[in-house]
Amino acid sequence: MVDMPPQCGYPHSVRQLHCCWIGSLRSYQLITTSLFTICLALAHASSVRAQSPDQLPLLVEVDAASYYTRTGGPTQLVLNVTSGSGSVLKGQLTLQIANGRDLLGTFENSDLFITPGEQTMQMLIPPLTEDPVNGFLEVAIWFTRDDGKTYRLPNQQLRMTATDGRRFVLTKVQPEVEILQQNREFAEGLDFDAFRPPVKKMDPSTGQEEAVRLQPLTLARRVAAEDLPTLPIEHCASDIVAINGTGFATLKPAQLNALIGWIRAGGSLYVELNDTIQPAEQVQFLNQLMEPHVVEVAFLPSSLGPPTLAAQGEVDDYLLCKFGLGRVAVVPGGTELPESDMVRAVAPFLWKVRLDQVQAIGLDGEWSFQVARDALRANESWNYSYQADPSTYEGQMLYGNMNPVPVGGGIGLVKQLMPRGFELVPLWLIASVLCVFILVVGPLDYFFVGLFTSRKWTWISFPTATLLFTGLAVFISNWYMNTGDHRGHLIIRDVVDGGLIARESELQLLFNSFSTVAKTNAEQESFTPLVYQRFTSEADSWELQVNQRRMQNAGTVGKPVFNGQLPQYSTVSQSVPQWTPQLNRLTRIPNKDVREPSGFDWNTPIGWQDTADLQNRVRKAFGPSARAQLFRTQQGNDYAKYLKKVIQGGDQLLDVASNNELQTTYTTVAYPQGHTTREFLETISMRESRGLFGVVSQISPTGGDQFEDLTLMDSSNPFQVLLIVVVTNPDNSQTVFRRVYNQ
C-alpha cells in the first residue's frame, strides 16, 4: 500500500491518481510564480530607489565667497552648480536656511534652466538676524523638475559672523585674469582697520599696559569686473567698492549706472585709474561724479593713455568728492598714492568718519578713544556707565569691536502704523460681561431651575449659557478689533541735489483680524522681516543694549518664503496669525534719476534764523497739513545739544493715536539722553556718538533691521542742517522727506 497525501485520499483508479498529481503540480507552479513575482517587485523597488531624488546628476554647492557678509547687510549667496545631465534641467531650486533647528527663510528660484556642465548662480539673501550656531547656517536644497518630481540634494553650510559683532566688506574689482594671476595688490590701506587704534589692558603682574590683539573688522572680497552687479541694490553687500584701472575700463553701461545709483544712496567708490586707456562711457561717468566738486575739474579722454585731468587751480594726487549721500575717491593715471595719504585722507573720507575723528586721524593716523569719550561727556544728561567709558579697557573693547547698538524709540512708529479704527475691548465692558455671566449661571440659574423643581436641567442651562456668552465675547472682540487685511506704511525718502530721490525705505506693518498668508511683491528691492519688539523693548543701560541677544518674535509669524529671482523680482509670503503685528522693511535704490514730484525747491539753501520763506515753500508744496522741522548741532556737541526748530505742524513729527495703547504688547523706551519714543525719526537720523557712530557719521546702505544706514547727521559737525517733512497721504500712510544741507 502507498501512502498518499491526505487531501487526495486513497486512489481507487489510475485516473484518480493522475488528477491528484496534476493538482499538486499546479500548486507548485502557483507558489513558484508568486515567488518570481515578489522578486520582480523587489527588483523594481530597488530600481526606483536607485533612481531616487538623491541620485539626480546635479550638485549645488555654496561658494566660499558667500562668507563675505557685512554687519546688517544682505548676503551675496554664490552657488556653484554642476549638472551631469545630458540635457537641460528645467524647474525650481529651493533653499531653506536654518540656524540649528530654527528655520530662517525659504528661497524658491523658479523657472530655472540648468545646462550641462558648471555654472555659477547668485542670490541676494536679505539680512539674517540670528547668531549662527558654531558660526554656520545649514542650507537644505531641493530641485523640482517641471514634471513635478522633487529631488533632495546634499545639504550645504553657509559660514556667517555673529550678529552682535561687526564686519565690514571692502569689495575689490579686477578682471578675472588678474584675480587668477594674483596680480599687484591695489587699494592698500583702504580697510577700516588701517586707522583703528590698539586696545590696551593693564597687566596686573607687571603693572604695564599691553596691546590686546583684536580681530580684523574688514573682509576683503575680490570680484571679477564682469560679475559686478547691474542693480544698485546688489551693492548693499559692500561698504566700499574699489576698482582698478583695467577692471574699470571693462565695465558695461548697466554696471556704471548701478554704481551711480548706489553712490547717490550713500555708497563709497574708490577708482585707481593707473595707465589704462578708458572708454568714453567711463570718462563721462567720472565727470558726472566730479560735477559737484568744489574745484572745477574734468577728465578728458585720451587714446594714448589714461584720461587727462583738466582743472582750475591746484589738484592733489587724489580727488575726493561727495556725490549725493555717498563719497568718491579717484586716483588719476600715473599716480602712486603713498600709504600715509591713503590712511590719513582717502580712507577716512570714504568711511565717512566724523569730523572730530578726521582731525585725530590726520594727526596720529588713527581715531582717538579720547575724542569719543569727550563726545560722550558733552552729553550732560547721560551718565554713561563704566563699561561704556572709552577710557577704560571695557569701553575700548566695545568701541574697538564696533558692536552694533540697538535702536530704540520705535514704539511711536509701531503705534503710528496700527489701524486707526483699532482698539482693545474696554476693561469696563469685559468686567460687565463677566458679571452678567456669573449672575446668569449663578443666582438666575438657581432661581429659574428651582421653579420647575428639577435641578437636572442645570446640565443643559449651564453649557447653553457658557456657549452664548463665549459667542458674545468673540463678537465683541471682533467688533472692536476688526481691521481686515491692514497694511500700515511709513515711507522715508532721502532727497539730494536737484530734487533727486537717492533712496527709499518703506516700513510696513501687517496686522490682520484673521489668520492669513500675506504676500508682498518686491522688485529690485531688499525685503527684510523685522522683529518689532527689537526696538520697542525697554533698556536700562547701554551695556545691556549692546550685549543683549536679539529678541525672538513673541508671536507665531511664519518665516518668509521668497519666490522668484532675487533681487530682480520676488513674491514674499508670510503666515501672519490673527491680531499679530509683523513689521517689514523694504529698501529701494532707483536705477535711474527719479525726481521728487512735489515741486519743492530742494536746492535753495536753508538758513537757521529766518525760516518764514521755508515755511511758505513747505506749505505751498506739501499742503497746510504737512509737518516740518529743522535740526542742527551746537558747537559740535552730541544729541543733547541738538537744536530743533518747528517750521510747521507742531512739535510732533509722527502723530500717535490715543486709542492704540497696547499696554500688554508695547513698552515705553526710556533712553538715557531723555528723548521720547515719539522721536523715532530723530533717533535714526541723528545717532548718538556711541559704538560705531563714535567714529563714523554714516554707513553705506544695508536695508538691515538696525536702521544704521538711515543715519544722516554728523553730531560733531555744526555746519549741517537737516530738514524733515512729514506728509500724510489719503490712505493714512505717511511719507517722510529728508534733506541735509551743508552751510
Side-chain angles (χ1 to χ4, degrees):
M1 181 179 290
V2 181
D3 293 332
M4 302 300 294
Q7 63 271 24
C8 294
Y10 181 78
H12 297 286
S13 65
V14 177
R15 179 179 179 85
Q16 289 178 336
L17 180 62
H18 177 74
C19 291
C20 188
W21 180 78
I22 291 297
S24 300
L25 181 61
R26 288 178 177 175
S27 299
Y28 174 78
Q29 289 177 341
L30 179 61
I31 295 174
T32 305
T33 304
S34 301
L35 291 176
F36 182 71
T37 303
I38 293 174
C39 291
L40 285 179
L42 293 176
H44 177 70
S46 300
S47 175
V48 171
R49 283 195 295 269
Q51 298 175 0
S52 63
D54 295 333
Q55 299 301 317
L56 180 72
L58 179 66
L59 179 63
V60 179
E61 297 178 306
V62 176
D63 192 271
S66 304
Y67 166 63
Y68 298 97
T69 302
R70 58 188 293 221
T71 300
T75 299
Q76 190 71 45
L77 185 62
V78 181
L79 302 175
N80 296 324
V81 181
T82 304
S83 174
S85 175
S87 59
V88 176
L89 295 177
K90 304 177 183 178
Q92 172 179 287
L93 185 67
T94 302
L95 282 73
Q96 283 190 346
I97 300 180
N99 186 22
R101 295 183 177 181
D102 298 329
L103 180 65
L104 300 183
T106 302
F107 304 89
E108 300 173 345
N109 199 336
S110 54
D111 300 330
L112 282 182
F113 294 86
I114 302 178
T115 58
E118 298 180 357
Q119 53 193 295
T120 300
M121 294 176 52
Q122 294 189 8
M123 301 173 62
L124 192 69
I125 303 299
L128 303 175
T129 58
E130 294 186 17
D131 289 330
V133 177
N134 299 323
F136 292 92
L137 299 177
E138 291 293 331
V139 182
I141 307 175
W142 290 268
F143 183 79
T144 303
R145 292 172 49 174
D146 54 357
D147 59 3
K149 280 189 176 181
T150 299
Y151 298 83
R152 178 68 182 266
L153 304 181
N155 284 7
Q156 298 290 312
Q157 287 187 327
L158 176 61
R159 185 181 176 188
M160 297 290 293
T161 56
T163 57
D164 59 352
R166 175 69 62 180
R167 288 295 179 271
F168 303 107
V169 172
L170 170 61
T171 300
K172 296 185 176 182
V173 182
Q174 300 172 268
E176 187 174 8
V177 176
E178 294 185 6
I179 296 178
L180 296 176
Q181 296 177 352
Q182 298 182 350
N183 283 11
R184 181 184 70 88
E185 291 287 343
F186 74 102
E188 293 297 309
L190 196 58
D191 57 291
F192 191 88
D193 302 277
F195 50 86
R196 182 185 181 194
V199 173
K200 297 181 180 180
K201 183 179 182 181
M202 183 69 69
D203 188 348
S205 60
T206 62
Q208 297 180 351
E209 289 186 335
E210 296 182 355
V212 179
R213 182 181 179 87
L214 297 177
Q215 186 176 4
L217 300 180
T218 309
L219 302 174
R221 179 181 65 159
R222 296 191 178 276
V223 175
E226 49 268 32
D227 295 332
L228 198 66
T230 58
L231 294 177
I233 196 67
E234 295 181 273
H235 283 293
C236 289
S238 304
D239 287 279
I240 295 179
V241 174
I243 312 177
N244 70 352
T246 51
F248 183 64
T250 62
L251 297 184
K252 306 299 182 184
Q255 295 172 313
L256 296 175
N257 289 335
L259 284 172
I260 286 286
W262 176 67
I263 298 169
R264 182 183 287 129
S268 293
L269 174 68
Y270 173 83
V271 180
E272 193 174 287
L273 292 178
N274 52 49
D275 297 327
T276 306
I277 299 176
Q278 300 294 335
E281 291 83 358
Q282 272 68 357
V283 177
Q284 182 181 357
F285 171 84
L286 293 175
N287 288 329
Q288 183 177 355
L289 296 178
M290 294 294 112
E291 184 177 352
H293 201 276
V294 292
V295 180
E296 292 294 332
V297 297
F299 286 94
L300 303 178
S302 173
S303 59
L304 301 177
T308 58
L309 186 62
Q312 295 181 5
E314 186 177 353
V315 179
D316 295 328
D317 293 337
Y318 50 87
L319 297 175
L320 306 178
C321 72
K322 297 181 180 180
F323 184 81
L325 300 176
R327 308 287 179 92
V328 180
V330 180
V331 179
T335 302
E336 191 72 27
L337 194 63
E339 185 176 355
S340 60
D341 288 345
M342 180 71 82
V343 173
R344 294 174 183 264
V346 177
F349 178 78
L350 293 178
W351 286 103
K352 308 178 186 70
V353 173
R354 290 163 51 100
L355 183 61
D356 53 2
Q357 293 287 9
V358 167
Q359 298 170 356
I361 295 174
L363 292 175
D364 303 324
E366 58 188 29
W367 60 269
S368 169
F369 286 111
Q370 183 61 43
V371 171
R373 187 172 188 269
D374 292 342
L376 290 179
R377 291 177 62 87
N379 189 345
E380 300 172 358
S381 63
W382 183 35
N383 296 321
Y384 54 87
S385 65
Y386 174 81
Q387 290 80 2
D389 187 351
S391 65
T392 66
Y393 166 70
E394 290 80 3
Q396 290 184 9
M397 287 298 293
L398 290 176
Y399 271 83
N401 290 324
M402 298 294 167
N403 302 83
V405 178
V407 66
I411 179 64
L413 169 66
V414 175
K415 287 184 177 181
Q416 179 64 30
L417 296 179
M418 292 293 291
R420 294 296 185 184
F422 171 80
E423 56 181 322
L424 295 180
V425 180
L427 183 60
W428 66 266
L429 183 56
I430 297 177
S432 300
V433 173
L434 180 61
C435 291
V436 173
F437 173 72
I438 295 175
L439 183 64
V440 169
V441 299
L444 292 179
D445 180 79
Y446 181 83
F447 175 75
F448 284 104
V449 172
L451 291 179
F452 297 97
T453 64
S454 181
R455 297 296 177 186
K456 64 182 180 181
W457 292 107
T458 302
W459 293 102
I460 298 176
S461 61
F462 181 79
T464 302
T466 302
L467 291 176
L468 290 176
F469 275 91
T470 301
L472 178 63
V474 173
F475 173 78
I476 292 175
S477 62
N478 285 331
W479 176 271
Y480 276 89
M481 304 177 67
N482 184 23
T483 61
D485 185 7
H486 172 76
R487 291 178 183 246
H489 303 270
L490 177 69
I491 301 175
I492 303 175
R493 290 175 176 168
D494 293 321
V495 186
V496 295
D497 293 336
L500 297 177
I501 298 177
R503 62 190 182 191
E504 181 176 287
S505 296
E506 178 181 349
L507 301 177
Q508 178 189 89
L509 183 74
L510 306 178
F511 190 82
N512 302 319
S513 57
F514 49 87
S515 299
T516 185
V517 176
K519 295 188 177 183
T520 305
N521 294 324
E523 184 175 351
Q524 298 184 8
E525 55 191 318
S526 172
F527 181 97
T528 305
L530 307 179
V531 180
Y532 68 88
Q533 297 98 329
R534 186 66 185 88
F535 56 96
T536 59
S537 60
E538 192 169 330
D540 297 324
S541 68
W542 178 35
E543 180 189 13
L544 181 61
Q545 294 177 44
V546 173
N547 295 295
Q548 67 178 343
R549 293 291 181 183
R550 295 182 179 273
M551 298 178 59
Q552 300 298 320
N553 199 331
T556 56
V557 177
K559 297 302 180 180
V561 177
F562 296 81
N563 182 276
Q565 297 185 4
L566 301 173
Q568 285 79 5
Y569 61 89
S570 65
T571 299
V572 186
S573 301
Q574 294 172 287
S575 179
V576 182
Q578 183 183 36
W579 297 329
T580 301
Q582 171 58 38
L583 192 63
N584 302 317
R585 178 186 177 185
L586 292 90
T587 303
R588 308 179 185 95
I589 301 179
N591 200 21
K592 58 182 179 180
D593 293 351
V594 178
R595 299 189 182 277
E596 193 276 310
S598 68
F600 182 80
D601 185 4
W602 296 98
N603 291 334
T604 301
I606 290 180
W608 178 260
Q609 300 299 332
D610 185 12
T611 58
D613 177 64
L614 176 60
Q615 183 178 11
N616 293 331
R617 292 195 291 123
V618 168
R619 183 180 292 109
K620 180 180 179 181
F622 299 104
S625 62
R627 297 176 293 281
Q629 295 180 11
L630 281 180
F631 301 87
R632 74 174 179 89
T633 57
Q634 184 181 29
Q635 299 177 354
N637 291 330
D638 200 49
Y639 190 89
K641 300 298 182 180
Y642 268 116
L643 300 179
K644 177 172 67 175
K645 177 173 289 190
V646 178
I647 304 302
Q648 179 175 308
D651 186 63
Q652 199 166 293
L653 281 172
L654 288 179
D655 295 331
V656 180
S658 59
N659 62 346
N660 290 343
E661 298 294 337
L662 300 181
Q663 295 92 341
T664 59
T665 305
Y666 310 114
T667 56
T668 301
V669 179
Y671 255 67
Q673 70 276 24
H675 68 263
T676 66
T677 57
R678 292 173 297 180
E679 297 171 343
F680 174 75
L681 291 178
E682 301 175 28
T683 306
I684 63 174
S685 301
M686 298 160 286
R687 294 271 178 162
E688 302 168 276
S689 57
R690 301 189 296 170
L692 175 64
F693 291 96
V695 180
V696 305
S697 59
Q698 302 175 38
I699 65 171
S700 300
T702 63
D705 67 329
Q706 294 282 1
F707 306 107
E708 291 181 323
D709 56 327
L710 294 182
T711 303
L712 292 177
M713 294 282 283
D714 181 354
S715 61
S716 66
N717 187 352
F719 304 106
Q720 287 185 336
V721 174
L722 172 64
L723 171 64
I724 298 181
V725 180
V726 180
V727 179
T728 301
N729 303 316
D731 59 353
N732 288 328
S733 65
Q734 291 185 319
T735 303
V736 179
F737 300 93
R738 304 188 304 173
R739 171 79 159 95
V740 175
Y741 296 87
N742 293 302
Q743 295 182 328

